[in-house]
Structure formats: C-alpha cells, structure tokens
Amino acid sequence: MEVVKKRKAKQNVINIAFVLLLLFLVMLSLYIGKYPLTIKEISQILLFKSLGKKGVWEPMAENVVLGLRLPRILAAILVGSSLSLSGATYQGIFKNPLISPDFLGVSAGACIGAAIAIIMSLSSTYIQLFAFFGGLLAVMLTLTIPKLIRSDSNIVLVLSGIVVSGAMSSIMGFIKYTADPQKELATITYWQMGSFSYVSMGSIYSVLLPIVLSCLVLFVLSWWIDIVSLGEKEAKSLGVNVSYVRNITVICATLLTASSICIVGTIGWVGLVIPHFARMLAGPENPRLMPTSYLMGAIFMLIVDTINRTLGSAEMPISILTGLIGAPFYGWLLYKQRMRLQ
Amino acid sequence: MIYEIKNISFHYSSNKRLIFKNVSLSLKKGQILSILGPNGAGKTTLLSCMKNIISPVSGEIFLCGKDIRKMNVKEIASLVGYVPQSHTPAFGYSVFDFVLMGRAPKIMMYHKPKVEDEEAAWKALEMLGITHLAEKAYTEISGGEMQQAMIARSIVCHPKTLLFDEPTAHLDYGNQLNVLRLIKKLSNEGYAIVITTHNPDHAMLLGGLAAILDKEGNLSVDHVDVIINEKLLKNVYNADLKLIKVPELSRTACVPSDL
C-alpha cells in the first residue's frame, strides 16, 4: 500500500504546484500590458473591490484591471480548462487517445449552430443553445458511422470525425456564403477564428453555470470513465451502466466545448494536446488525469493569450497561436507513440 | 447451489439460428466446469448469458437461488467475477488501478473508491503475488502477468463464482499451466468456476465437470472422465485424439495420434 500512498502524495504536490503557478500567472497577466500598472495598484483594486470598500486610484487603472484584463484572464482560464477537460473526457469515454472536440466534429457542429443563431439574429442565450445542439448532433453523427460499418477501431472513429468535420465545414461555407457580408459574415468569421478580445464579464457569467456544473459532474464521474474505457462488455460485466455514463459524460463534455465556443469562438488543439501532456505527468487514470489536465489547460490558455495580447501591435486570432504550438506537438506525439498505435 | 441453469436457448436477433439450445447445468461451491467446443460454437455466448450481459431467448438462470433476470447488474457483478480473453486497453492504467476497477460493483455511481477499496485491491494483488507489478502500466506487462492481473480484478469483490473465457489462450506453455494451477487453487478456496477452453487435456488436468458444446448447439455435461471419450473428441474436433493412461502420472492424458 505504500506505493499507492506515495503516488497520491506526488499527485497532490503536482496539483498544488499548478494552482500556485496559475495564481502567479494571473497576477503577472494583470501586471503586463500596454497600460502600465504597479503590483500595489492591482492588489489594491482587487482587494478593495472584492471587499466592497472604496480606495484611491486612477479610474483608468480600475477600468484596465476590472474591465479589460480580468475578464480576459478569467475567460482564458475558463476556456482553457473546459476544452482540455472535455478533450480528456472524449478520449477516455471513446477509449481513443487520438481524438479531441475538433476531431469529433463537435467544434464545427457548435460553430454551425452558433452561425445559424447569428443569422437568425437570436440572443446570446439562444446562440449558446444552438451551439450546444449543433455540437451534440455532430458528435452523434461521428459516433454513428463506426456503428454502421460495425467497426470498433480507433482509426475508423478518427476518419469518421474527418467525414463529419468535412461535411460541417461545407455547411459552414454555405452559411457564410448566404450571410450578410456587412454584419453577419464578420461575426461568424470571428467565431470561427476564436478571439478573447471581445470577452466581457457578462459573457462569462452567461456560460459560468453550465461550465461549472459540467466540470463537477465530470470530476465526480472520472473513475467511471476509466471503467468505460475498458470497453463496453467488460464495463458491463463489472456492473456498470455503460450507456448512462457515456451519455452523461458526452453531454457534459459537449456542453463544455459549446460554452467555450459561445464566448470566444473555436480554439483548436487545446483539447487534444493538453490531455496528452497531463497524461505524461499524472498518468492515464482519469481521477488523476482530469484535475491535472484542467489546471494545465487553464495555464496554457492564459500564457498563450497573455503573449498574444502583449506581443506586437495587433492581436492575432488565438487559433493561429494554439495551432502553431499544438500541431508540431501532435507530430512529436505520433512519433513517440508510433509503437503503441500500431 | 451457485448456478442452476434450466433449458436456456439463445439466438441473436439478426439471425434466427440457435447458437445453443436447451442447455441445462448446475454448479456447486468449489466445483470446476470446463466447457469444450469447436471455434464459433458459442462458448463465449454461453458465458455472456451466465453473466446476464445478454439474455437467453428461453429458459431460466438462477444465481445463488435467485432468478438472474430479477437481479440488478451490480448484484450480479458482485456475485460473478469475469475474466475476459486477453485484450489491449487504450490506456496504460497501472495494474493497481486496473485491479481496483474490480470494486465497481461495491461502489455507488458518482462515488470514487475509498481506502477500504484500495486495501481490498492490494490484498488481491498480494494473493496472486503480483504486488511488484502494482505501479507498472497494464499495457506493458507480459501476457501471463495480464492474466494474473485480470484474475486479481475478478476476485477483488469476493464473488461466489468466476467465469474464465479461454484463460489459457495467448499464453506460453508454462503460463498456461500456471493459470490452470491458480484456477485449481481458487476452486479449493470455494469459488465455483467455469472456464472455456480448446484443450481437452486442460479439462482433464482440472478434473471436476466438463461440458461439450457441439456445432448444433447441444450441451452435454458430466464428470470429465465420463464425458471425454475418443469417439466424442473425433466428433467435436474432427481430429484423431487418443486418451492414454500415463502410469507415471497416474492420470489420463489427451494427445493427438498423428498429424
């Protein structure tokens, strides 16, 4: 039993270190930017505001901290952690380390849902709902193809995801083609590229509840995802209600992806790459992988967005940066795991 | 009586051909039943019915005196340990965590294993003498070690009966004998055991009951010495097999006569 206890202790150390690192990065990210601020000012604003007291500082400083930087930081943390947690969930539940929200067509589906809602000029609540059902529909389509051809292999699931994503991007193209180029097209394009620049506290509040609930459910079910990942028959023989666990976790993971897409648009690669990094550090068991993956996703997104915000004069769509980091890493991963994938 | 199976038949919904028909058998505490039969005869299907993963189209199965259709999945899972044919999971869970998953029947949904579950998993590892593998990735151990880990997982809930689906397939000769020895030991501890195997000699080594499931789906059960004879083996495997008394071993062995 000693080894088991030792492993738990090691796990706690890793997670505590990540929490501290995240807190440090939040402060750092509040500090750096074009408008110069001192640590003292930032702490004063945060402390006094959260206690509801009045303090003396420049109104511009408060605006930068609370109106600009804090919402972006919170959004980066929320989106990064949501995407990597949903990626880890999909990988576990479909017993396939090669998939992610993007590869299953979830992101493309959610994007179409959102685009339809934008064209119909619906409110942000509806955009969120449409994005969720679009994502859910896409993932269901992706899962149907392997069933139709009666194949359980990892590669077929990945290929099926490519088929669905391809169809989705055609539909997306059609929607864009018919959209009003002055207003709607720009909004839809912004969604597809992903950006943190228009995030407000309001948009964060609107997705907070579904995100927090989904994360809680996934953390609580993490051990059961391990069992389902052994395969349907084996999980059943262990007395597990496989379809219940699968349905609940897929809904939660899709809700996480759709909610992220609602506030910042599609951001590629995070849901694929971060769970892999986390698996190397924490091991493949979901009860240990998921918290680490969650924290690493938050840290990664915060770093990338802070760099994006402070480097250069104009901001790039965030997917460009995550792709530049994610794609080579995925290549390296394929190289490293080439023995196991065969 | 652990198992009481009465007249069960099964066919898949897509194909009306019966995989097996009117199968009856009973199994007591500490008994071993080896199910023999050619490839594709439906041995695994029969085990799946006994585990209630699929339901027979007719007939009844009683597990520890209760109708299996009226029991919930967790109750069945905690009474019946299942050792599947070897497999490769997608993720390299540690052997300890793999064995710990065997506690699922005792753990409520939305809960996680507690310290007592971890202690039970550790005890199962100790019983099989594989505590040194606890931290190893399940995907990186040998076939024989995997089989041991799977057996550890099946006994971690202290079930009444264990079902083995071809436990000796994919193992080298030494490990095949190790697994058989382990099965014998488990039956001496009181587990009622069902195994499927392709090797009549394994059934004879284990002793106890044997059953033959033929291509037509008929199952005949009796004591292994009674049921296994040369004529029947010829029928089932379409090969010339000889039963030879080996005085040095004081047992009968089943060997092929020629190629």
Side-chain angles (χ1 to χ4, degrees), chain A residues 166-283:
Chain A
M168 293 288 165
S169 70
S170 271
I171 299 174
M172 197 67 198
F174 179 74
I175 293 174
K176 280 163 90 176
Y177 177 70
T178 52
D180 168 18
Q182 293 300 317
K183 263 171 57 199
E184 290 158 4
L185 185 61
T187 321
I188 294 171
T189 312
Y190 144 75
W191 272 69
Q192 266 192 304
M193 307 264 268
S195 169
F196 282 95
S197 25
Y198 302 101
V199 167
S200 69
M201 279 318 259
S203 59
I204 291 176
Y205 288 141
S206 73
V207 295
L208 200 57
L209 189 68
I211 286 185
V212 169
L213 283 180
S214 304
C215 287
L216 281 179
V217 171
L218 290 178
F219 280 133
V220 166
L221 280 177
S222 54
W223 188 68
W224 299 90
I225 296 176
D226 279 2
I227 298 180
V228 172
S229 79
L230 296 177
E232 184 157 353
K233 207 176 157 198
E234 229 175 303
K236 270 189 185 163
S237 81
L238 290 170
V240 177
N241 187 339
V242 177
S243 45
Y244 178 80
V245 176
R246 189 183 290 153
N247 290 344
I248 295 277
T249 48
V250 167
I251 287 174
C252 286
T254 307
L255 208 50
L256 282 181
T257 309
S259 302
S260 312
I261 289 181
C262 279
I263 53 171
V264 295
T266 41
I267 297 178
W269 296 99
V270 181
L272 178 70
V273 169
I274 299 296
H276 275 286
F277 258 127
R279 209 168 276 126
M280 284 175 185
L281 263 177

Side-chain angles (χ1 to χ4, degrees), chain A residues 154-164:
Chain A
N154 285 355
I155 297 302
V156 170
L157 186 60
V158 173
L159 290 176
S160 159
I162 292 174
V163 169
V164 171

Side-chain angles (χ1 to χ4, degrees), chain B residues 232-245:
Chain B
L232 183 127
L233 290 173
K234 169 87 187 157
N235 249 333
V236 171
Y237 292 106
N238 198 21
D240 281 324
L241 296 169
K242 292 272 173 280
L243 297 177
I244 295 164
K245 270 215 154 46

Side-chain angles (χ1 to χ4, degrees), chain A residues 129-141:
Chain A
L129 266 176
F130 273 58
F132 169 66
F133 283 111
L136 202 60
L137 197 72
V139 75
M140 272 157 50
L141 266 177

Side-chain angles (χ1 to χ4, degrees), chain A residues 1-4 7-8 91-93 95-97 150 154 217 219-227 229-230 233-234 236-241 244-245 248 279 284-288 340, chain B residues 44 48 51 53 73-74 77 80 82 84 87 89-94 96-98 100-105 107-113 115 118-119 122 134-135 139-140 150 153 165:
Chain A
M1 279 301 281
E2 277 313 302
V3 273
V4 179
R7 201 182 58 178
K8 265 188 194 164
Q91 290 173 5
I93 213 79
K95 47 188 164 104
N96 190 338
R150 297 193 181 172
N154 285 355
V217 171
F219 280 133
V220 166
L221 280 177
S222 54
W223 188 68
W224 299 90
I225 296 176
D226 279 2
I227 298 180
S229 79
L230 296 177
K233 207 176 157 198
E234 229 175 303
K236 270 189 185 163
S237 81
L238 290 170
V240 177
N241 187 339
Y244 178 80
V245 176
I248 295 277
R279 209 168 276 126
E285 298 85 3
N286 279 299
R288 294 191 276 149
R340 280 194 35 213
Chain B
T44 304
S48 298
K51 193 87 183 73
I53 292 174
V73 280
K74 281 200 181 279
V80 187
Y82 181 67
H87 61 161
F91 300 103
Y93 299 129
S94 79
F96 177 81
D97 284 283
F98 183 77
L100 187 60
M101 291 184 207
R103 290 293 286 185
I107 298 171
M108 293 222 306
M109 187 60 98
Y110 294 104
H111 287 243
K112 280 178 189 164
V115 175
E118 288 174 348
E119 276 163 0
W122 192 260
E135 285 295 279
T139 42
E140 281 157 21
M150 274 197 275
R153 191 184 70 179
D165 195 1

